[in-house]
Amino acid sequence: MLKEPRKKRKPPRKTEKKPEFTRVYRYGCKITDGAPIAYEQMRAGHKYRNELVAIERERREKAMTIMHSVAPHVEKLQVEIEQIKELIGSKEDELKALRQKDRRRTSSKELSAELATLRKRKKELIDEYKPKKDAAYESKAYKTASADMEEEDKEARLAARKATTAYWGTYGIIEQSTKKIRKGAPPQFHPWRGDGSIGVQMQRVMTPASAFGGKDDRAVLTPDPDGKHLIIRLRLKDRGGKVYVTCRARYHRPLPEGVRIRWIKLVCRRVATHDKWSVQFTLSRPTPWPKRRGFGTLAVNLGWRKLPNGDVRALSWLDDAGERGELILPKEQVGRLSKSESLQSIRDRNMDTVKLQLSSWLKTAENLPDWIQERLKTLSAWRSQVPLASVVLFWRKNRFEGDEKLFDEAEAWRKQDKHLYEWQANNRRKYQAWRRDLYRNFAAKMTDRYDLLLLANVKFKQIQDKPKPEEETDEMRVARERKSITAPYELQQTLANGFHEVQKFDPKNLTAKHHGCGKLSQTSDPASMTHHCEHCGETYDQDHNHCQNLLAELSKAAVAA
């Protein structure tokens, strides 16, 4: 009797994914049980990430080879670009050597002209290369030739996941963080520094109420008897034996009702030689999170200025009613950051001294063990204190005859450097925490009063990148020196996240154009707070002028609409 053919299953109906709005609640914590497992999982996650980076870099090399085979004209352009980059590098080295010889920021007109010509040619080649490269990757010939390569890449990723000892929540965090690894610049390997994250993804519905009830052992939340802390137990592993980690968190604000817990992560950040742990709840809800909302419009300028009394002005603001104000960083707080920089200078000088002593000793000492010569063979090139400190720690466990004097000096240096490093890192961390709290409180205060925020569309991350020495202007140098003080990008994001509505305008001429007469008035000193308009004779604050121009731009946009 013949069997009837099995009916094909209908494909699942595609349902439109409902939007979700997420927010992260963060609490400082300490691990009370399962710390070795937590560190082991962080290390496994770090190895897994670097393995994914190695796979992606290999895929890019193969893809480049295939692309060159189907589009040889693109390969010629790339070779020409590499050659001109090498030539630019050699000219920059010449200019650097000239400045080191003169011990000042001199410049050769001939070298500068050559560099300008070479950079212009490089830009032209890159502008020609990019569209042709993109077209080659999108071509049918490339897609046909790269099909096997893409399949090998997929198998390599699956094999890496299978081989990792990281539990599913931990490797889920890594895969989430490397989603965009195939785009942009080639991914880089990260050295192990003790930082990392582990966690649990709640695939089935979990709410704060069910977590506090203790019915679901994926995450059990128990209030501490003191009423200020929360005991959190996470199940990192289920199959093959359950594995748990427990932490005690400072419960400074309650989890909201009517939300779903998506992730619970334990995050470790290395501060000097100590670990700072926090637990992060990723919460979602089907409707937008409520925001504070006032009435009116606020224009802000994030042009930071150093005031005569030593304070730093991080922001100037002006509302549509004419009220104006400033956000000031007191010099006492800014001094913390300056102290951290001076401590780094002391550490560098101390390291130079001990490097000189060790180098002289290595040249004259006899019968030295092979390990110390091998570990210190590149000593002169070291800039960081970390490798030298690790050598001294290894040396402490492997003493040998005749090392008494130099070892004592090296060990004294290591202890002193550790003290200075702790001081420096904690000083910076405390300042950054104070500044973050100041910015959040300021944003909350402003969102209570206003509902619309006006900003110049400035890419602070690009401004703060360090340019080539010969390309750096005084304005760029000031921006880099003060970015660590005011962190304008952080302030910009804090304000934008808090307001109900944000409008950004082209920053061109917002500061240079005088709001009174409407004419451009270029300043000879961008760092100065005030400027005298040569057209109408008025002296005004440059930052407040910027805010007034923002309000004027809003009026123009409203009329045009």
Side-chain angles (χ1 to χ4, degrees):
M1 185 177 178
L2 296 175
K3 292 183 178 179
E4 293 182 5
R6 182 178 295 176
K7 293 181 180 179
K8 291 184 178 180
R9 290 183 178 179
K10 292 182 180 180
R13 182 184 297 175
K14 291 184 178 180
T15 57
E16 188 175 341
K17 192 175 181 181
K18 294 180 180 179
E20 288 193 344
F21 302 87
T22 61
R23 183 170 285 186
V24 177
Y25 275 53
R26 178 181 174 275
Y27 306 89
C29 72
K30 289 184 179 180
I31 294 183
T32 56
D33 186 34
I37 297 171
Y39 283 105
E40 178 188 321
Q41 282 300 294
M42 283 198 306
R43 190 66 186 267
H46 171 263
K47 289 181 179 179
Y48 180 49
R49 184 208 171 272
N50 280 347
E51 182 62 29
L52 292 179
V53 168
I55 293 169
E56 172 58 18
R57 292 174 73 96
E58 184 180 356
R59 186 199 68 82
R60 291 193 182 208
E61 289 178 7
K62 291 179 180 178
M64 185 72 73
T65 303
I66 295 170
M67 188 266 290
H68 286 165
S69 67
V70 299
H73 61 285
V74 178
E75 183 180 11
K76 291 180 182 179
L77 278 173
Q78 186 177 0
V79 170
E80 192 174 350
I81 290 170
E82 293 301 325
Q83 289 174 347
I84 204 167
K85 281 182 178 179
E86 290 180 8
L87 191 56
I88 289 172
S90 65
K91 295 295 181 183
E92 287 174 346
D93 291 340
E94 284 184 45
L95 188 60
K96 185 178 178 181
L98 179 65
R99 287 174 174 172
Q100 287 178 341
K101 182 180 178 181
D102 294 345
R103 300 184 69 82
R104 61 192 179 91
R105 289 181 59 85
T106 57
S107 64
S108 165
K109 290 184 179 179
E110 295 79 9
L111 272 177
S112 298
E114 284 184 61
L115 277 170
T117 305
L118 289 170
R119 290 197 183 102
K120 183 180 179 181
R121 178 57 182 157
K122 184 184 80 170
K123 185 179 183 303
E124 292 172 353
L125 288 171
I126 290 174
D127 290 342
E128 182 184 357
Y129 169 76
K130 283 183 177 180
K132 290 183 177 180
K133 180 193 72 172
D134 294 341
Y137 277 124
E138 293 297 325
S139 66
K140 187 176 180 180
Y142 169 78
K143 290 180 179 179
T144 303
S146 63
D148 292 338
M149 182 266 294
E150 293 292 348
E151 190 62 31
E152 290 173 4
D153 177 69
K154 184 178 178 181
E155 291 174 359
R157 291 173 183 276
L158 290 173
R161 178 194 279 188
K162 189 176 180 180
T164 183
T165 57
Y167 300 148
W168 69 274
T170 303
Y171 72 64
I173 293 172
I174 298 300
E175 290 175 358
Q176 193 179 53
S177 68
T178 55
K179 269 186 178 180
K180 298 181 181 178
I181 201 172
R182 291 169 67 99
K183 297 180 181 179
Q188 302 298 316
F189 295 102
H190 288 177
W192 171 248
R193 302 187 187 279
D195 296 348
S197 304
I198 60 174
V200 180
Q201 184 180 13
M202 306 304 171
Q203 294 177 325
R204 299 192 309 275
V205 176
M206 171 176 272
T207 63
S210 62
F212 277 104
K215 296 178 181 179
D216 192 337
D217 71 338
R218 289 177 297 170
V220 178
L221 311 182
T222 308
D224 194 272
D226 66 3
K228 297 180 181 179
H229 293 84
L230 188 67
I231 308 300
I232 304 168
R233 190 183 72 164
L234 297 179
R235 189 186 73 198
L236 300 181
K237 184 184 176 185
D238 187 14
R239 298 176 183 177
K242 296 183 178 182
V243 176
Y244 297 93
V245 169
T246 306
C247 68
R248 185 171 183 261
R250 180 74 171 85
Y251 198 48
H252 62 276
R253 62 171 176 172
L255 294 170
E257 297 179 357
V259 298
R260 179 178 173 181
I261 300 175
R262 290 292 184 179
W263 279 91
I264 301 180
K265 298 177 184 177
L266 284 172
V267 181
C268 178
R269 291 290 174 261
R270 193 81 170 166
V271 179
T273 58
H274 296 285
D275 295 331
K276 300 292 182 182
W277 285 90
S278 64
V279 59
Q280 298 181 358
F281 292 82
T282 302
L283 310 175
S284 69
R285 51 183 287 164
T287 56
W289 292 80
K291 287 187 176 182
R292 302 182 181 194
R293 185 170 184 176
F295 300 93
T297 302
L298 179 72
V300 301
N301 177 35
L302 304 177
W304 51 95
R305 310 283 180 183
K306 191 168 185 180
L307 303 181
N309 63 353
D311 294 344
V312 174
R313 186 168 77 183
L315 174 147
S316 298
W317 60 268
L318 175 70
D319 66 15
D320 52 356
E323 185 179 351
R324 61 177 60 185
E326 303 171 332
L327 180 62
I328 302 295
L329 306 180
K331 62 181 179 181
E332 293 79 15
Q333 294 291 342
V334 174
R336 282 184 174 181
L337 210 57
S338 302
K339 184 61 180 177
S340 295
E341 293 170 0
S342 68
L343 289 171
Q344 181 62 50
S345 300
I346 295 171
R347 292 179 64 209
D348 291 340
R349 288 197 298 270
N350 291 347
M351 184 179 176
D352 290 340
T353 301
V354 76
K355 277 171 61 178
L356 186 62
Q357 292 173 341
L358 285 171
S359 299
S360 302
W361 179 64
L362 289 171
K363 291 176 183 178
T364 57
E366 299 179 355
N367 301 322
L368 291 176
D370 293 339
W371 67 263
I372 196 167
Q373 297 184 55
E374 178 65 25
R375 285 173 177 258
L376 295 177
K377 65 181 180 181
T378 58
L379 174 66
S380 59
W382 291 354
R383 298 290 183 87
S384 170
Q385 288 82 1
V386 174
L388 183 54
S390 65
V391 169
V392 176
L393 288 172
F394 183 84
W395 190 355
R396 189 170 65 180
K397 298 178 181 178
N398 298 271
R399 299 292 301 275
F400 54 89
E401 188 177 351
D403 71 346
E404 292 79 9
K405 183 178 179 181
L406 258 295
F407 173 77
D408 291 344
E409 291 179 358
E411 177 67 3
W413 165 83
R414 186 193 66 80
K415 290 181 178 179
Q416 176 68 4
D417 186 71
K418 180 183 177 183
H419 164 69
L420 295 175
Y421 183 32
E422 296 278 359
W423 187 0
Q424 175 192 6
N426 282 291
N427 225 21
R428 181 179 289 110
R429 180 182 64 84
K430 289 176 181 178
Y431 172 75
Q432 291 171 347
W434 170 84
R435 183 183 63 200
R436 182 167 56 248
D437 185 64
L438 176 72
Y439 287 176
R440 288 177 177 175
N441 285 330
F442 175 78
K445 181 181 176 182
M446 293 294 106
T447 51
D448 280 340
R449 297 177 59 184
Y450 309 102
D451 67 336
L452 174 60
L453 174 67
L454 306 182
L455 288 168
N457 191 18
V458 180
K459 308 294 185 183
F460 283 105
K461 282 191 173 182
Q462 296 175 8
I463 293 175
Q464 293 169 184
D465 289 341
K466 188 174 181 180
K468 298 289 184 182
E470 64 281 353
E471 296 175 353
E472 186 176 33
T473 63
D474 291 338
E475 193 172 1
M476 291 179 181
R477 187 159 53 252
V478 170
R480 282 197 306 103
E481 288 172 355
R482 294 182 181 173
K483 71 172 184 179
S484 57
I485 298 175
T486 60
Y489 178 74
E490 180 185 346
L491 178 54
Q492 184 185 54
Q493 291 300 107
T494 303
L495 288 168
N497 290 338
F499 271 80
H500 181 76
E501 185 180 355
V502 179
Q503 287 192 28
K504 294 184 179 181
F505 295 94
D506 185 356
K508 186 177 180 180
N509 294 331
L510 283 177
T511 302
K513 181 180 178 181
H514 182 206
H515 73 280
C517 63
K519 294 182 179 180
L520 295 181
S521 179
Q522 297 293 342
T523 176
S524 58
D525 184 11
S528 174
M529 284 190 298
T530 58
H531 176 63
H532 182 77
C533 180
E534 64 270 24
H535 301 289
C536 64
E538 183 182 349
T539 300
Y540 55 87
D541 187 299
Q542 294 195 86
D543 296 338
H544 289 144
N545 177 69
H546 179 107
C547 294
Q548 287 172 318
N549 284 329
L550 280 173
L551 291 169
E553 289 294 323
L554 178 66
S555 300
K556 288 181 184 178
V559 171

